Amino acid sequence: MSVQFISAVNVNAGNELNRLGQAGIDLPFFTRYVNALEDAGFDYTLCAYASSFQDQFAIANQIVARSERVTPIVALRPNTVYPTVAAKALATLDQFGAGRAVVHFISGGSDAEQAREGDYLPKERRYARTAEYIDIVRKVWSSTEPFDHEGEFYRFENFLSLVRPTHGTIPVSVGGSSAEAYRVGGARGDIFGLWGEPLADTREQIDAVQAEARAAGRTDRPRIWVTFRPIIASTEDLAWQKAERILSVLRAGGPHPFRSSLGGAAPQNVGSQRLLEIAGRGDVHDRALWTPTASATGAAGASTALVGTPETVAAAILDYVDLGAELISIRGYDNLNDLIDYGRYILPLVRQELAHREATGQRGPLQDEHPGAYAERTPA
């Protein structure tokens, strides 16, 4: 199985460790960041969305203008852009990128965050809206004649777009951990995004998505995307010391782009609820999954770490690849420096192991130790 890597783009040097709290775009930093993504060998980078963020379409267009291979993943909340407009914007981006565009649909996990931009649709109806939205954008990309639409959430007449995606369509990603997310993503998603949970829990989620795909009559399955926050160092002890330093900063609070929209003591979104429940079971799971970072941030966004040497973290990533994950998202807490390190030390190890398997039909030494063997090494 091949695997592709995703990062998340940063537009300035502010991050969760230095607490700079910057809001503006630092163009030299942004250019350096995109170049670093390219040099590190990342395949995709997420252009995240929150009500207070910069425009994700503008950022994505700047990424394709400044890179040759990195594909932007545009996070999109259906309440913010009419589907016909979004379909044209995505197809235009895709043309400028010569086929480099992915859209990741976020149905909305917080009533308060949705209300900031005038969306008062109840949570149980948001995934139904996302399903209708996906159907519309795909029809916009494929239709050669004007068409009408009258659905529960959208209505229009005699629409035709002359803007076509480079390869006829654009991959659609859906994320979430609720039954509604599994149903919509399983039925309609090309990609399904999960946050980093223990292997057994991840297996259950993948099974749920695939069951919904079968129920929808699909003969294929969504590609699985799993997200982690790796913390690496040259030895296990140094990696755990680094992890504890990062945790102390996270526990101190301060500016965090997602804490006003996700997470908290009693989060509405099921994904954050699941991460907090998993953190309550114990600090370390399987080979290297570390959960106190989720507890410290109220599970605001993807917040579970993988801790250890590059070899340990690469082996842990491969454990998820063996479950069926084909897309691995890794982003650090010191964003730029971490992504450079990932490109030097993690991506090559994972790719070398997969190449070894393809050539020999056997697993290499990277994963010889059992996934649970590292739990006993956790500091007290």
Side-chain angles (χ1 to χ4, degrees), residues 177 195 262-264 267-277 298-301:
S177 298
W195 288 342
L262 288 174
Q268 283 186 297
N269 61 305
V270 176
S272 293
Q273 293 171 8
R274 287 177 64 99
L275 292 189
L276 292 176
E277 187 276 328

Side-chain angles (χ1 to χ4, degrees), residues 134-212:
I134 292 170
D135 291 344
I136 292 170
V137 298
R138 281 186 168 144
K139 190 166 184 180
V140 169
W141 294 331
S142 63
S143 293
T144 57
E145 298 291 337
F147 69 96
D148 302 340
H149 178 85
E150 185 167 357
E152 181 179 357
F153 304 99
Y154 302 101
R155 177 184 176 185
F156 54 86
E157 298 176 0
N158 201 39
F159 180 80
L160 175 66
S161 172
L162 300 179
V163 190
R164 295 277 182 270
T166 303
H167 303 298
T169 191
I170 291 169
V172 166
S173 172
V174 177
S177 298
S178 65
E180 293 86 356
Y182 301 150
R183 185 160 50 251
V184 173
R188 289 172 171 81
D190 300 301
I191 297 166
F192 194 93
L194 299 170
W195 288 342
E197 297 187 0
L199 292 166
D201 300 83
T202 302
R203 175 73 271 172
E204 290 175 359
Q205 292 206 81
I206 293 173
D207 289 345
V209 173
Q210 292 182 343
E212 292 294 348

Side-chain angles (χ1 to χ4, degrees), residues 292-371:
T293 46
S295 300
T297 58
S303 50
T304 50
L306 295 174
V307 182
T309 63
E311 290 78 10
T312 295
V313 170
I317 287 171
L318 286 160
D319 292 333
Y320 288 88
V321 173
D322 290 338
L323 285 185
E326 296 179 63
L327 297 158
I328 301 295
S329 176
I330 51 174
R331 61 185 179 91
Y333 293 96
D334 182 6
N335 304 87
L336 177 59
N337 291 322
D338 284 342
L339 87 83
I340 292 170
D341 282 347
Y342 299 160
R344 287 174 176 168
Y345 305 118
I346 294 181
L347 273 63
L349 284 173
V350 173
R351 287 172 171 155
Q352 287 165 16
E353 169 65 16
L354 293 175
H356 172 82
R357 293 182 185 185
E358 185 174 357
T360 67
Q362 297 179 340
R363 285 160 56 132
L366 195 62
Q367 285 182 284
D368 283 348
E369 196 162 2
H370 186 273

Side-chain angles (χ1 to χ4, degrees), residues 78 81-88 132-133 136-137 140 154 156:
V81 185
Y82 204 74
T84 55
V85 178
K88 290 186 297 180
E132 185 176 334
Y133 200 108
I136 292 170
V137 298
V140 169
Y154 302 101
F156 54 86

Side-chain angles (χ1 to χ4, degrees), residues 1-6 43-44 102 171-174 185 189-194 206 209-210 218 220-226 324-328:
M1 175 186 288
S2 63
V3 64
Q4 293 180 299
F5 284 94
I6 303 169
D43 302 285
Y44 303 90
V102 174
V172 166
S173 172
V174 177
D190 300 301
I191 297 166
F192 194 93
L194 299 170
I206 293 173
V209 173
Q210 292 182 343
R218 292 180 61 167
D220 63 342
R221 303 289 181 267
R223 301 171 70 201
I224 298 299
W225 159 10
V226 186
E326 296 179 63
L327 297 158
I328 301 295

